[in-house]
Amino acid sequence: GDAVGPYLSQFLLATVPRGEGLREERRYRPLAPGVDYATDEEAWLATVSGEPTAAPAFASAPRYIATGRDLASYVHRDAPFQAYLDAALILLGLGAPLSPDLPLVDDAVRAGFVDFGPHDVLDAVTGVLVAVQRANWCQKWLGHRRLRPEEYAGLVHATATGRGTHPVPESVRASTAARRIRERDGGYLLPQAYPEGAPLHPSYPAGHAGIAGACVTVLKAFFDESWAFPDPVEPDATGERLDPVDATLTVGGELEKLASKASLGRDWAGIHYRSDAAGLRLGESVALAYLCDRARAYEDAYGFAGFELTTFDGTGVRTAPDGVESV
């Protein structure tokens, strides 16, 4: 969905219904522009050592997400499934149709409430969290143990300043990014948007990407992916207002866009590499197995054949009780 319509997902802009008479506008106080952390050796060492840091500085007024730093702010201290629970509430509030493959969808007398209804959606989109985080943790610690960007920048800095010898390619030291950082800060340390820098666990795969991949996959299973999002908008350059957009944006495409932007926001903060977003596919695979388990629980009561959805690479699949099938 990234290539269709505005850069930001509608699920980052649409008002969230929080109950009777309570609707939340999507304005946030982002991290202050131009305020970077860990840009000198003393601050960098304190950051990578996990020492306590000052509270972050924020912009003076809330606004819609309009810059990369705004997006980084949104995924700084968010609850892990926050964006996807909000997406579920938005879809339910809009009356978005559930997937036509679910039981009870076309039943004139019975409607899903617990099974195949709002409670099922909300339980499933949050319930996949622990499973995908266990998969993330396994890959981080038992497989890859990739240095965070701020730590790798420490190797670049040490090599370029003659403090040490590390296998840093000359192409990295001579890059435009390294030159601009050196001209501004006097060294090669990677500026961080978060005062505490990166988390103290390995970089690959990105935890936000894994969670995004899993939760979005669950939402695609429950809702009609082809349904067009009503009255799409995009923020102006200042984030002060939302302007209408002439585009047809589907639920499936906007959910995929939401997943990728959650991952990219952590890149903008300086704590992940773009390739860490492979966690999206890890999360998707965990969610497919999770949905097979749920299909198995429904098989006897409903003769349920499984959830049908489109994967991130465009493949149609069914999460049947005995495994994932192509459709």
Side-chain angles (χ1 to χ4, degrees), residues 233-273:
V233 293
E234 65 179 341
D236 72 344
T238 66
E240 294 298 319
R241 70 172 190 270
L242 296 176
D243 296 328
V245 173
D246 184 14
T248 300
L249 306 176
T250 65
V251 167
E254 292 305 289
L255 285 172
E256 292 186 346
K257 195 183 294 182
L258 173 64
S260 74
K261 294 307 175 284
S263 183
L264 283 168
R266 303 286 278 185
D267 298 346
W268 276 105
I271 67 171
H272 274 295
Y273 309 93

Coordinates of all heavy atoms in Angstrom, one line a residue, residues 233-273:
V233 N -7.5 11.9 3.7 CA -6.8 13.2 3.9 C -5.3 13.1 4.0 O -4.8 12.0 4.1 CB -7.4 13.9 5.3 CG1 -8.8 14.2 5.2 CG2 -7.1 12.9 6.4
E234 N -4.6 14.2 4.0 CA -3.2 14.2 4.3 C -2.9 15.6 5.0 O -3.6 16.6 4.8 CB -2.4 14.1 3.0 CG -2.5 15.2 2.0 CD -1.6 15.0 0.8 OE1 -0.7 14.2 0.9 OE2 -1.9 15.6 -0.2
P235 N -1.8 15.6 5.9 CA -1.5 16.8 6.6 C -0.8 17.8 5.6 O -0.2 17.4 4.7 CB -0.6 16.4 7.7 CG 0.1 15.1 7.1 CD -1.0 14.5 6.3
D236 N -1.0 19.1 5.9 CA -0.2 20.1 5.2 C 1.2 20.1 5.7 O 1.5 19.3 6.6 CB -0.8 21.5 5.3 CG -0.7 22.1 6.6 OD1 -0.4 21.4 7.6 OD2 -0.9 23.3 6.8
A237 N 2.1 20.9 5.1 CA 3.5 20.8 5.5 C 3.8 21.2 6.9 O 4.8 20.8 7.5 CB 4.3 21.7 4.5
T238 N 2.9 22.0 7.5 CA 3.1 22.4 8.9 C 2.5 21.4 9.9 O 2.8 21.5 11.1 CB 2.5 23.8 9.1 OG1 1.1 23.7 9.0 CG2 3.1 24.8 8.1
G239 N 1.6 20.5 9.5 CA 0.9 19.7 10.4 C -0.2 20.3 11.1 O -0.8 19.8 12.0
E240 N -0.6 21.6 10.7 CA -1.7 22.3 11.3 C -3.1 21.9 10.9 O -4.0 22.1 11.6 CB -1.5 23.8 11.1 CG -0.2 24.4 11.7 CD -0.2 24.3 13.2 OE1 -1.3 24.5 13.8 OE2 0.8 24.0 13.8
R241 N -3.2 21.3 9.7 CA -4.5 21.0 9.2 C -4.4 19.7 8.3 O -3.3 19.3 7.9 CB -5.1 22.1 8.4 CG -4.4 22.4 7.1 CD -5.2 23.4 6.2 NE -4.6 23.4 4.8 CZ -3.6 24.2 4.4 NH1 -3.1 25.0 5.3 NH2 -3.2 24.1 3.2
L242 N -5.6 19.1 8.1 CA -5.7 18.0 7.2 C -6.4 18.4 5.9 O -7.5 19.0 6.0 CB -6.4 16.8 7.8 CG -5.8 16.2 9.1 CD1 -6.7 15.2 9.7 CD2 -4.4 15.6 8.7
D243 N -5.9 18.1 4.8 CA -6.5 18.5 3.5 C -7.0 17.2 2.8 O -6.4 16.1 2.9 CB -5.4 19.1 2.6 CG -4.9 20.5 3.1 OD1 -5.7 21.1 3.8 OD2 -3.7 20.8 2.9
P244 N -8.1 17.4 2.1 CA -8.7 16.2 1.4 C -7.8 15.7 0.3 O -7.0 16.5 -0.3 CB -10.0 16.7 0.8 CG -9.9 18.2 0.8 CD -9.0 18.6 1.9
V245 N -7.9 14.4 0.0 CA -7.1 13.8 -1.0 C -8.0 13.1 -2.0 O -8.9 12.4 -1.6 CB -6.1 12.8 -0.4 CG1 -5.3 12.0 -1.5 CG2 -5.1 13.5 0.5
D246 N -7.7 13.3 -3.3 CA -8.5 12.6 -4.4 C -7.8 11.3 -4.7 O -6.9 11.2 -5.5 CB -8.6 13.5 -5.6 CG -9.4 12.8 -6.7 OD1 -10.2 11.9 -6.4 OD2 -9.3 13.3 -7.8
A247 N -8.1 10.2 -3.9 CA -7.5 8.9 -4.1 C -8.4 7.9 -3.6 O -9.2 8.1 -2.6 CB -6.1 8.9 -3.4
T248 N -8.3 6.7 -4.2 CA -9.0 5.5 -3.6 C -8.0 4.7 -2.8 O -7.1 4.1 -3.3 CB -9.6 4.7 -4.8 OG1 -10.5 5.5 -5.5 CG2 -10.3 3.5 -4.2
L249 N -8.2 4.7 -1.5 CA -7.3 4.0 -0.6 C -8.1 2.9 0.1 O -9.1 3.1 0.7 CB -6.8 5.0 0.5 CG -6.2 6.3 -0.1 CD1 -5.8 7.2 1.1 CD2 -5.0 6.0 -0.9
T250 N -7.5 1.7 0.0 CA -8.2 0.5 0.6 C -7.8 0.3 2.0 O -6.7 0.7 2.4 CB -8.0 -0.7 -0.3 OG1 -6.6 -1.0 -0.2 CG2 -8.4 -0.5 -1.7
V251 N -8.6 -0.5 2.7 CA -8.2 -0.9 4.1 C -6.9 -1.7 4.1 O -6.0 -1.4 4.9 CB -9.4 -1.7 4.7 CG1 -8.9 -2.4 6.0 CG2 -10.6 -0.7 5.0
G252 N -6.8 -2.6 3.2 CA -5.6 -3.4 3.1 C -4.4 -2.6 2.8 O -3.3 -2.8 3.5
G253 N -4.4 -1.7 1.9 CA -3.3 -0.9 1.6 C -2.9 0.1 2.7 O -1.7 0.2 3.0
E254 N -3.9 0.7 3.3 CA -3.6 1.6 4.4 C -3.1 0.9 5.7 O -2.3 1.4 6.4 CB -4.8 2.4 4.7 CG -5.2 3.4 3.6 CD -4.1 4.3 3.3 OE1 -3.7 5.2 4.1 OE2 -3.5 4.2 2.2
L255 N -3.5 -0.4 5.9 CA -3.0 -1.2 7.0 C -1.5 -1.5 6.7 O -0.6 -1.4 7.6 CB -3.8 -2.4 7.2 CG -5.1 -2.3 7.9 CD1 -5.9 -3.6 7.8 CD2 -5.0 -1.8 9.3
E256 N -1.2 -1.9 5.5 CA 0.2 -2.1 5.2 C 1.1 -0.9 5.3 O 2.2 -0.9 5.8 CB 0.3 -2.7 3.7 CG -0.3 -4.1 3.6 CD -0.1 -4.7 2.3 OE1 0.3 -4.0 1.3 OE2 -0.3 -6.0 2.2
K257 N 0.5 0.3 4.9 CA 1.2 1.5 5.0 C 1.5 1.9 6.5 O 2.5 2.4 6.9 CB 0.4 2.6 4.3 CG 1.2 3.9 4.1 CD 0.2 5.0 3.4 CE -0.2 4.6 2.1 NZ -1.1 5.7 1.5
L258 N 0.5 1.6 7.3 CA 0.6 1.8 8.7 C 1.8 1.0 9.3 O 2.6 1.5 10.1 CB -0.7 1.5 9.5 CG -0.6 1.5 11.0 CD1 -0.4 2.9 11.5 CD2 -2.0 0.9 11.6
A259 N 1.9 -0.3 8.9 CA 2.9 -1.2 9.4 C 4.3 -0.6 9.0 O 5.2 -0.6 9.8 CB 2.7 -2.6 8.8
S260 N 4.5 -0.2 7.7 CA 5.8 0.2 7.3 C 6.2 1.5 8.0 O 7.3 1.8 8.3 CB 5.8 0.4 5.8 OG 5.1 1.5 5.3
K261 N 5.2 2.4 8.2 CA 5.5 3.7 8.8 C 5.9 3.6 10.3 O 6.7 4.3 10.8 CB 4.3 4.7 8.7 CG 4.0 5.1 7.3 CD 5.3 5.6 6.6 CE 5.1 5.9 5.1 NZ 5.0 4.7 4.2
A262 N 5.3 2.6 11.0 CA 5.7 2.3 12.4 C 7.2 1.9 12.4 O 8.0 2.3 13.3 CB 4.9 1.2 13.0
S263 N 7.6 1.1 11.4 CA 9.0 0.7 11.4 C 9.9 1.9 10.9 O 11.0 2.1 11.5 CB 9.2 -0.4 10.4 OG 10.5 -0.9 10.3
L264 N 9.5 2.6 9.9 CA 10.3 3.8 9.4 C 10.5 4.9 10.5 O 11.5 5.5 10.5 CB 9.7 4.4 8.2 CG 9.9 3.6 6.9 CD1 9.0 4.1 5.8 CD2 11.3 3.6 6.5
G265 N 9.5 5.0 11.4 CA 9.6 6.0 12.4 C 10.8 5.7 13.3 O 11.5 6.7 13.8
R266 N 11.0 4.5 13.6 CA 12.2 4.1 14.4 C 13.5 4.3 13.7 O 14.5 4.6 14.3 CB 12.1 2.6 14.9 CG 10.8 2.3 15.6 CD 10.8 2.9 17.0 NE 11.5 2.0 18.0 CZ 11.5 2.2 19.3 NH1 10.9 3.2 19.8 NH2 12.2 1.3 20.1
D267 N 13.5 4.2 12.4 CA 14.6 4.5 11.6 C 15.0 6.0 11.7 O 16.1 6.5 11.8 CB 14.4 4.2 10.1 CG 14.2 2.7 9.9 OD1 14.5 1.9 10.8 OD2 13.8 2.3 8.8
W268 N 13.9 6.9 11.5 CA 14.1 8.3 11.6 C 14.7 8.7 13.0 O 15.4 9.7 13.0 CB 12.7 9.0 11.5 CG 12.3 9.2 10.0 CD1 11.3 8.5 9.4 CD2 12.8 10.2 9.1 NE1 11.2 9.0 8.1 CE2 12.1 10.1 7.9 CE3 13.8 11.2 9.2 CZ2 12.3 10.9 6.8 CZ3 14.0 12.0 8.1 CH2 13.3 11.9 7.0
A269 N 14.4 7.9 14.0 CA 15.0 8.3 15.3 C 16.5 8.0 15.4 O 17.1 8.4 16.4 CB 14.2 7.5 16.4
G270 N 17.0 7.1 14.5 CA 18.4 6.8 14.5 C 18.7 5.5 15.3 O 19.8 5.2 15.5
I271 N 17.6 4.7 15.6 CA 17.9 3.5 16.5 C 17.8 2.2 15.7 O 18.0 1.2 16.2 CB 17.0 3.5 17.7 CG1 15.5 3.3 17.3 CG2 17.1 4.8 18.5 CD1 14.6 3.0 18.5
H272 N 17.4 2.3 14.4 CA 17.3 1.1 13.6 C 17.9 1.4 12.2 O 17.9 2.6 11.7 CB 15.9 0.7 13.4 CG 15.4 -0.2 14.5 ND1 15.9 -1.5 14.7 CD2 14.5 -0.1 15.5 CE1 15.3 -2.1 15.7 NE2 14.5 -1.2 16.2
Y273 N 18.2 0.3 11.5 CA 18.5 0.4 10.0 C 17.3 0.0 9.3 O 16.4 -0.7 9.8 CB 19.6 -0.7 9.7 CG 20.8 -0.6 10.5 CD1 21.0 -1.4 11.7 CD2 21.9 0.2 10.2 CE1 22.1 -1.4 12.4 CE2 23.1 0.2 11.0 CZ 23.2 -0.6 12.1 OH 24.3 -0.6 12.9

